[in-house]
Amino acid sequence: MNPGDLVVEDLAVHYGGVQAVNSVSFTVGAGRCLGIIGANGAGKTSTLKALMGLVPRKVGTLRLGDRDLTKVKPKDIVRHGIGYVPEGRHVFTGLTVEKNLLLGAYLRSWKGKTQEKLAEVYEMFPVLGEMQHRLAGALSGGQQQMLAIGRALMSEPRLMLLDEPSMGLSPKLVEEILGILQRLSASGLGLLLVEQNAKLTFEATETCVVMENGRIAMTGSSVELAHDPLVRQIYLGL
Ligand code: ATP
């Protein structure tokens, strides 16, 4: 184990009688990229929400490096270095782009560092800098996705959880998101990427798990999975 690894063992989520996640275990190495693919309803979103403490869960081990996160509250999970980009972006459409970004930093008690982080986000996403005073509701879907990622970056995470960043985007914008994920990864940020878009996930990550009915059905290197005949047939439609 390296300092900074996210270790998840025996994670379970129930909604009343529905078991959405069952005995799920995986590790995201510090600065590495892990993908979770699977059909609608496989339990991917519930897994991310459970890691953030946003849904009731049972978990054997939840650790970031040597820090036990099993009893840590959601806002403190962010303080411990885990950023979250939820499905559907959830940007505040009635606030400006910059105010949305500043909300991402509100858990940090920085003096002076917020401007530095803003400048970093604008460097990564120049379009957000150009539109910093515009309402977030005026942005396109792709720009809102960049804003959601930028907002998560403002909390200076070591690991970012992303839920379906490609959802609803055109193939050209999906390519752009892939480029962004690759840049984030090259900067040393760890990524846990949940996607229905298996092609994007295989290209953006090193290792993938395939979820089915709340369980992990397969784990492998993304390159190997992308060439697995069964995976190609089911997830790539080939
Ligand atoms: P999608 O890609 O559609 O988001 P997913 O793989 O992320 O799918 P989840 O959203 O985690 O899957 O859902 C897993 C299971 O839990 C599904 O059967 C779903 O209907 C159920 N579920 C999810 N959220 C709730 C909830 N709030 N209450 C009851 N059941 C839920």
Side-chain angles (χ1 to χ4, degrees):
M1 193 203 64
N2 288 314
D5 285 0
L6 175 77
V7 180
V8 181
E9 282 169 0
D10 216 7
L11 176 68
V13 178
H14 289 260
Y15 302 107
V18 178
Q19 176 133 31
V21 178
N22 194 348
S23 298
V24 162
S25 303
F26 56 81
T27 296
V28 189
R32 315 308 294 226
C33 297
L34 178 79
I36 304 181
I37 62 166
N40 244 326
K44 306 179 301 297
T45 294
S46 299
T47 298
L48 290 196
K49 284 186 176 169
L51 298 180
M52 296 304 294
L54 299 172
V55 291
R57 65 171 189 217
K58 283 194 180 141
V59 64
T61 305
L62 178 56
R63 216 174 48 220
L64 186 62
D66 55 8
R67 176 82 61 176
D68 176 14
L69 299 178
T70 45
K71 295 193 175 62
V72 173
K73 294 194 180 80
K75 68 177 170 54
D76 294 322
I77 296 257
V78 174
R79 272 204 192 103
H80 285 302
I82 301 186
Y84 178 49
V85 182
E87 184 175 8
R89 298 147 204 158
H90 295 278
V91 300
F92 297 96
T93 50
L95 297 180
T96 63
V97 166
E98 186 146 303
K99 288 232 163 76
N100 270 273
L101 291 174
L102 291 173
L103 281 172
Y106 92 107
L107 287 170
R108 297 285 187 190
S109 42
W110 288 325
K111 291 195 185 90
K113 198 166 177 195
T114 307
Q115 289 306 319
E116 199 185 300
K117 297 304 304 173
L118 264 182
E120 278 175 32
V121 170
Y122 290 148
E123 194 185 334
M124 172 151 268
F125 303 110
V127 70
L128 297 182
E130 286 156 24
M131 299 181 84
Q132 57 185 282
H133 302 303
R134 302 278 297 277
L135 293 182
L139 303 188
S140 69
Q143 291 164 344
Q144 288 192 8
Q145 188 61 63
M146 289 176 206
L147 179 55
I149 295 172
R151 184 179 55 189
L153 284 174
M154 289 293 293
S155 69
E156 203 171 47
R158 281 193 276 167
L159 170 71
M160 192 183 281
L161 316 187
L162 297 117
D163 197 350
E164 303 257 5
S166 79
M167 192 197 273
L169 301 183
S170 67
K172 185 169 169 284
L173 284 172
V174 172
E175 278 301 310
E176 207 168 314
I177 294 292
L178 172 63
I180 289 165
L181 296 179
Q182 287 168 333
R183 266 193 292 156
L184 290 174
S185 164
S187 75
L189 181 67
L191 300 178
L192 176 55
L193 172 66
V194 155
E195 266 291 342
Q196 283 198 42
N197 184 332
K199 183 172 175 292
L200 166 71
T201 313
F202 292 145
E203 287 177 25
T205 62
E206 298 152 313
T207 311
C208 269
V209 300
V210 181
M211 282 189 79
E212 254 174 44
N213 298 324
R215 290 181 179 274
I216 294 183
M218 249 190 267
T219 304
S221 88
S222 304
V223 172
E224 276 167 25
L225 285 175
H227 289 94
D228 182 292
L230 192 63
V231 170
R232 284 168 71 79
Q233 187 186 339
I234 297 176
Y235 294 103
L236 299 174
L238 300 168

